[in-house]
Amino acid sequence: MAKPVSIGKIRAELLNILDARTCRQILRELSSKNYETRNQQIKDLHETVITVAEQKWSLRRFAVIFDISHQYLGDMIDGKTGKNGDPFTHVTFHEDVQHQFPEIELTDGYTASFLSRREHQLTTKFASPMENKRFDAPLESASEYIIRPDEEQYLDSHRKAVICPIYVKDSECKYKVDRSDKNTTVLAGICLDSSNVCIAIVVRGKTLVDDIFTKSLREGVDCIVLPNDKGYVCSNHFIIWIMRCPIPFFVKWRKENKLLPTEWGGLQLDGHRAHLTEEIKQALTKAHIRIIQLPAHTSHCFQPLDLSTFHSMKSKVRKQITGFAPKTQADKIQKSVMALQLATTPFANMHAFANAAICQDCTKIPHRSIKAEQQLGNQISKLLGDRMK
């Protein structure tokens, strides 16, 4: 059962959303109660905010307080989750049976028999991975060219067959992805002219396998590999990637298109702290690269890599075959690179930008970015609809 969030954290996050006076009023209500579970705390916070500042309520913004997805927050408020607020998963079912009947072997036969005996209560469905909290990432017109980088963890997060209560709808059937495993994070960038920036693969571990670049990949061409204790991208990784990949890419691109070295380019970033350090800003300014920052909570509508590229990549990762032993560090790295290369073909990149309401005017050299007005309206409507939930 999830523990309630501390008042200190709630106060800090509320001050980013509401004015100080409204925050004090809400905190006064919450502080007067002793919570044993996070669920009741969430419901009381929702009721209090709706009462004193209904126009400020947003699932995406308030989900950050509890480190859960906005869809899951909505489900908890509507009472659509399990009794403890946990998603229904095959793991929960197994643990429950093994806890009550440790002597039982969980075979396919037992599972089928269990379902047969409780067919009026349970059913099988395919559960989707529960969306994790997104990093916050004006749709602006870029200059001559624009690159959109983003990172995505390569995890075993695909639809799974699970057992859940019979009243659960397909849209509510989700499972929580374990993100504490041996992660591999892909830091990628695509360009509006349909080309790609060399990617960075952040792997969990302090050392790299010696033969990854001698037997398969080309360092600095196919990818660069960066070790990390947890497998996540930090500001040090991002500045290394900026210096070794996007900046040289811009220099080469200017030469190929006969542009002046001082011609400005655009690099679209979300609002994650690791992407916007002073060191990164200074390096990009010196290289005549303008940062185009997406407003908070809009990356799911206007980040091309989120809209199509990473989804396509994940669907291809498991199908790739490498020459390394399965599930080793080298195997994960090469699978990630191979899958991303298949997901970032020229037409796939143009389609990703088009989904984010940006197209290229091919009548000019170099090609210029233009807004796709109809798609822009669709994405804005989607964004506003999400915030009204």
Side-chain angles (χ1 to χ4, degrees), residues 250-270:
F250 274 101
V251 172
K252 180 181 177 182
W253 200 91
R254 292 185 182 109
K255 290 180 179 179
E256 291 176 349
N257 289 274
K258 299 180 180 179
L259 297 173
L260 294 174
T262 55
E263 194 80 29
W264 284 89
L267 185 69
Q268 189 209 37
L269 300 173
D270 57 30

Side-chain angles (χ1 to χ4, degrees), residues 2-14 16-17 26-27 30 35-49 57-74 76-77 85-86 130-134 176 297:
K3 296 181 180 179
V5 176
S6 67
I7 288 294
K9 181 178 180 182
I10 294 177
R11 180 186 295 109
E13 296 292 348
L14 283 179
N16 295 328
I17 304 172
I26 293 173
L27 290 169
L30 296 180
Y35 295 102
E36 295 183 358
T37 67
R38 183 181 62 182
N39 286 27
Q40 189 57 48
Q41 190 180 41
I42 287 174
K43 290 180 179 179
D44 284 355
L45 175 62
H46 171 252
E47 292 175 359
T48 306
V49 174
W57 175 258
S58 166
L59 284 177
R60 290 187 179 278
R61 291 154 69 184
F62 281 85
V64 175
I65 297 175
F66 301 98
D67 291 327
I68 57 178
S69 72
H70 67 280
Q71 290 100 331
Y72 191 35
L73 176 61
M76 293 178 75
I77 291 171
D86 298 321
M130 190 168 64
E131 179 185 349
N132 192 27
K133 181 183 73 173
R134 294 178 180 272
K176 187 175 181 180
H297 311 293

